[in-house]
Amino acid sequence: MQDREKAFIRALIQSGATEGIGDDGVLIARDCAGYVVASDAFFEDVHFKRAWGSLEAIVEKCFAVNLSDIYAMNAIPSFCLLTLALPNGFKEVGRLANVIGKCALKHRIKIIGGDTIAGEKLHFSLTILGKRQGRILTRKGIKKGDILGYISPNSVLTHCKTQAFGGNIKALKTALRFHKNSKIQSNTRFAKPILYPKMLLRLNGIARVGMDISDGIFMELSRLSRLNHLGFKITKYKGEWLYSPEEYQMLYAIPKMRLKKMKNLAKQYRHAFIPFAQAVCGRFMESKRNWHA
């Protein structure tokens, strides 16, 4: 699927009918009142299984996945378009609507439209509009010598053990092997990613480039390499953290001179900024496939 996705996006861009593709979202107005728009799908048996958790858990993760894109570009979510496919025989329509409404209110988002259709499985598609907060943070602009790092909690007050970066690959493998038809541990980052928007909006101001990590760092680096025409030298021992998917933590590129400032600010929010690579001449190529493939 990943190769087909790349081919489709590449061909669509070549058609001349696109703008802004390649970032977590796109800025649709270039003045101070502009909005960032991001859209993501969350499909049953592709991104989740019904047996893995309650409707509340599924909806919360669906929103988190989309909100992460908005925060990653330095914006605050305000409005949402919701497209929903309901399976035939689905008997919890009223409850699902209530769960979605409560989740939107929790995140201070107004649902302003969308579509509802019948389908074979439960599918969500959210398009979120976020109000820009100063400079928009994109994936392009890395310079040779820049330090790349990711964010991870480092305190029990930030659910360190269950929310720490790099654990999702193990959680996913366990879910696929042992929990195909049963619930998975609900307090893991894979089941329930927790976002820290106040921290992210401050860290965004230090970074030169940023993006949320959805497919694993090894794939995100390949995307950044193509966009910035640079390679990356891994400076941290390679482990599962490099391939862990659906983290929805931030990957930042910063000038070397801002490293101490980045670490100190993350520490104020009981998180750690962990450097793992440096931008160099060349190209970075992924060596593993997306787990969705």
Side-chain angles (χ1 to χ4, degrees):
M1 175 60 189
Q2 186 63 26
D3 290 339
R4 284 176 286 167
E5 179 185 350
K6 285 182 183 178
F8 173 77
I9 293 174
R10 184 164 54 245
L12 191 61
I13 292 173
Q14 289 172 352
S15 75
T18 68
E19 181 177 349
I21 289 181
D23 281 304
D24 292 301
V26 61
L27 181 65
I28 58 173
R30 311 222 188 287
D31 55 25
C32 292
Y35 279 85
V36 170
V37 181
S39 182
D40 234 328
F42 198 60
F43 283 10
E44 184 177 356
D45 290 337
V46 177
H47 304 96
F48 70 93
K49 294 183 181 295
R50 288 285 307 280
W52 284 356
S54 64
L55 279 179
E56 287 81 0
I58 291 169
V59 170
E60 182 65 35
K61 183 170 181 179
C62 176
F63 270 81
V65 167
N66 284 268
L67 293 173
S68 182
D69 286 337
I70 296 296
Y71 294 132
M73 292 194 69
N74 206 36
I76 294 178
S78 302
F79 303 104
C80 171
L81 293 164
L82 168 66
T83 295
L84 180 67
L86 295 170
N88 295 323
F90 187 78
K91 298 179 180 179
E92 299 179 277
V93 174
R95 179 168 167 246
L96 178 60
N98 186 51
V99 169
I100 291 173
K102 285 184 176 179
C103 195
L105 289 173
K106 173 184 173 181
H107 295 290
R108 300 181 180 180
I109 300 170
K110 291 293 185 181
I111 299 174
I112 58 175
D115 196 10
T116 305
I117 61 173
E120 294 183 1
K121 298 178 181 180
L122 184 61
H123 294 341
F124 303 87
S125 182
L126 295 183
T127 299
I128 297 184
L129 289 78
K131 187 70 175 297
R132 66 179 293 179
Q133 302 297 301
R135 179 176 66 94
I136 293 298
L137 194 64
T138 68
R139 300 178 182 183
K140 194 171 183 179
I142 301 175
K143 296 183 178 181
K144 181 182 175 182
D146 280 356
I147 301 295
L148 279 76
Y150 59 83
I151 299 298
S152 181
N154 65 354
S155 163
V156 293
L157 298 179
T158 50
H159 309 272
C160 183
K161 289 185 179 180
T162 58
Q163 293 287 313
F165 189 94
N168 273 3
I169 190 167
K170 182 178 180 180
L172 174 63
K173 289 178 178 178
T174 301
L176 291 175
R177 185 175 181 183
F178 300 110
H179 300 282
K180 288 184 179 180
N181 299 302
S182 63
K183 288 188 176 181
I184 60 175
Q185 189 176 348
S186 61
N187 64 344
T188 63
R189 187 165 187 84
F190 178 70
K192 186 180 180 180
I194 298 176
L195 307 179
Y196 295 86
K198 288 184 179 179
M199 175 187 71
L200 297 181
L201 293 174
R202 291 195 66 190
L203 294 178
N204 288 349
I206 300 174
R208 199 193 304 275
V209 163
M211 66 181 296
D212 76 334
I213 302 166
S214 57
D215 293 324
I217 286 179
F218 78 103
M219 287 201 64
E220 313 300 10
L221 288 181
S222 181
R223 293 175 177 134
L224 291 175
S225 179
R226 289 193 299 271
L227 281 171
N228 293 277
H229 306 291
L230 286 168
F232 303 108
K233 179 182 178 181
I234 305 295
T235 56
K236 185 176 183 286
Y237 177 79
K238 293 181 181 179
E240 290 192 333
W241 62 270
L242 187 61
Y243 309 104
S244 189
E246 296 200 11
E247 291 290 344
Y248 304 109
Q249 297 275 26
M250 285 295 291
L251 187 164
Y252 287 118
I254 63 170
K256 188 183 296 186
M257 62 189 298
R258 297 180 189 171
L259 179 58
K260 184 177 180 179
K261 183 176 182 181
M262 194 74 164
K263 285 185 173 183
N264 288 341
L265 184 54
K267 189 175 181 180
Q268 290 180 26
Y269 290 89
R270 302 185 179 93
H271 279 67
F273 176 72
I274 303 175
F276 68 87
Q278 188 168 21
V280 296
C281 292
R283 186 178 179 186
F284 183 92
M285 297 285 290
E286 71 263 24
S287 58
K288 292 190 178 183
R289 292 177 63 86
N290 188 337
W291 71 270
H292 286 307

